[in-house]
Amino acid sequence: MVDSDHRERTAWVALLGHAPSRSSQRLLTRRAVGAGSSLAVLRTQLGQPTLLGDPVENALRTAQEHITAWERTGITVLTFDDADFPARLRTTHDMPAVLFGRGTMAPQEVSVAVVGSRAASPSGLRTAGRLAHGLARNGITVVSGLASGIDASAHRGALAANGRTVGIIGTGIRHAYPEENRRLHSEVAAAGAVLSQFWPDTPHERTTFPARNATMVGYAAATVVVEAGEHSGARIQAREAVEHGRPVLLMRPVLDRVSWARHFLRFSDVHVAQDVDDALRTLREIIDRPQDPRRPYDSLADAR
C-alpha cells in the first residue's frame, strides 16, 4: 500500500503512465484537474477491485517503485500536486502534470525564455548571450531548450553572470540532445535546473520538441525570439505563446528576415526590440505588470 500522503502524486505517475499517447495524457490531465483528483480518474480508468485484486493499488505500487528508482539516481519527480511544481506552468491549458528534473526547483521564480535557431549567426549568438547575461544580472531566470546555437548561448550567458538558468529539454532527463551539450546540461543543473516532461529514457523524436516548446512557454513569463528561420522551432514557440496569451518579444533581425514574424505583429502582446538594451527595458515592463488574478487551477479547468 502506498503511503496516504503520497497517493495523489503517485496516482499522477500511474495515470499518465497508462496513457497510450501524449494526446491522451493531456486529456487525462484536464480530467484529473477538473475533478480535483488524479486518483479518482485513475479509478475510472482501471476499474473497481475484484477477487483477483485491486488494479488501482497495483498501479500505485508499480508507480511508487518507479519513482523510488528514479529518485535513487538523482532524478526529481514533480507532479501537479507538489509544492515545488512550477506555479506559472499550472496556468497553461497544455500543462504536463508530471515533470522530471535535476537541480534545484524554484516554483515561484520569474523567468524569461530565450530561444532561436540552432544554426545561428555570430551576431545572433552574441545577442543571445548578452541578453541572458543582462537578465541574469537582474535576477531573472533564463530559460531555454539546451539545443545548439541560440539556446546554448543563452544558457552560457546566464552562467557567465552567475545567474540561474533552466533547461527544458525535448528528450527524457537521462538523455542529452545534441550529445555535445551533455556537459552544458550538468552546468545548467548545477546553477539551476534541467526539466523534462517525458519519461526519463525517452529519446528525441520529431514530436517531442514542439511539446517541449509549449512547456517552455508555460514556464516563462515571456518568450524572446533572437533569431529564427521560416520553419524553425522558435516559430512554434512564438505561436504557442500567442495561443497561451503570453508575451512574445521579437528581436529586430527576426522581423527583417522571416515573414511569419511580421504576421505575428497583429497580436497585441507581440513586441519588437531593436537591440539588447531595448529588449531588457521591454521585458522589465512586461514582468512588472499586475499578474492575472485567477487561481492556478482556473485556466486548465476553463479549457476542459
Side-chain angles (χ1 to χ4, degrees), residues 104 109-110 129 131-143 154-167 187-193:
T104 304
E109 69 185 342
V110 177
L131 177 60
H133 192 278
L135 288 168
R137 289 198 60 176
N138 282 279
I140 306 301
T141 297
V142 175
V143 180
H155 289 301
R156 291 188 176 110
L159 292 170
N162 295 317
R164 178 174 165 85
T165 183
V166 171
E187 292 173 356
V188 169

Side-chain angles (χ1 to χ4, degrees), residues 174-257:
R174 287 179 173 145
H175 290 267
Y177 183 81
E179 180 62 32
E180 57 263 29
N181 279 0
R182 184 169 291 278
R183 180 175 178 180
L184 184 58
H185 277 234
S186 297
E187 292 173 356
V188 169
V194 176
L195 298 173
S196 172
Q197 69 203 78
F198 307 106
W199 303 115
D201 292 312
T202 304
H204 72 275
E205 299 172 1
R206 184 176 60 85
T207 59
T208 56
F209 293 100
R212 177 276 308 271
N213 290 127
T215 298
M216 205 185 309
V217 163
Y219 193 97
T223 289
V224 182
V225 181
V226 175
E227 199 169 80
E230 287 289 355
H231 304 287
S232 66
R235 177 185 182 178
I236 295 173
Q237 181 146 340
R239 186 193 68 214
E240 289 280 356
V242 168
E243 291 176 353
H244 281 80
R246 297 292 171 87
V248 176
L249 184 61
L250 305 173
M251 299 304 295
R252 185 73 209 189
V254 179
L255 198 68
D256 293 339
R257 295 171 189 169

Side-chain angles (χ1 to χ4, degrees), residues 70-196:
W70 291 325
E71 291 178 341
R72 281 175 179 163
T73 63
I75 297 171
T76 299
V77 182
L78 296 172
T79 71
F80 180 79
D81 296 301
D82 290 328
D84 280 345
F85 192 88
R88 195 178 296 272
L89 192 55
R90 282 197 176 101
T91 68
T92 62
H93 64 76
D94 212 10
M95 173 200 74
V98 178
L99 291 173
F100 302 91
R102 297 189 189 276
T104 304
M105 307 305 143
Q108 301 295 333
E109 69 185 342
V110 177
S111 63
V112 168
V114 180
V115 300
S117 300
R118 288 177 169 85
S121 68
S123 63
L125 296 175
R126 287 193 297 272
T127 296
R130 287 185 57 221
L131 177 60
H133 192 278
L135 288 168
R137 289 198 60 176
N138 282 279
I140 306 301
T141 297
V142 175
V143 180
S144 200
L146 274 166
S148 301
I150 296 299
D151 287 16
S153 285
H155 289 301
R156 291 188 176 110
L159 292 170
N162 295 317
R164 178 174 165 85
T165 183
V166 171
I168 298 179
I169 60 176
T171 67
I173 198 73
R174 287 179 173 145
H175 290 267
Y177 183 81
E179 180 62 32
E180 57 263 29
N181 279 0
R182 184 169 291 278
R183 180 175 178 180
L184 184 58
H185 277 234
S186 297
E187 292 173 356
V188 169
V194 176
L195 298 173
S196 172

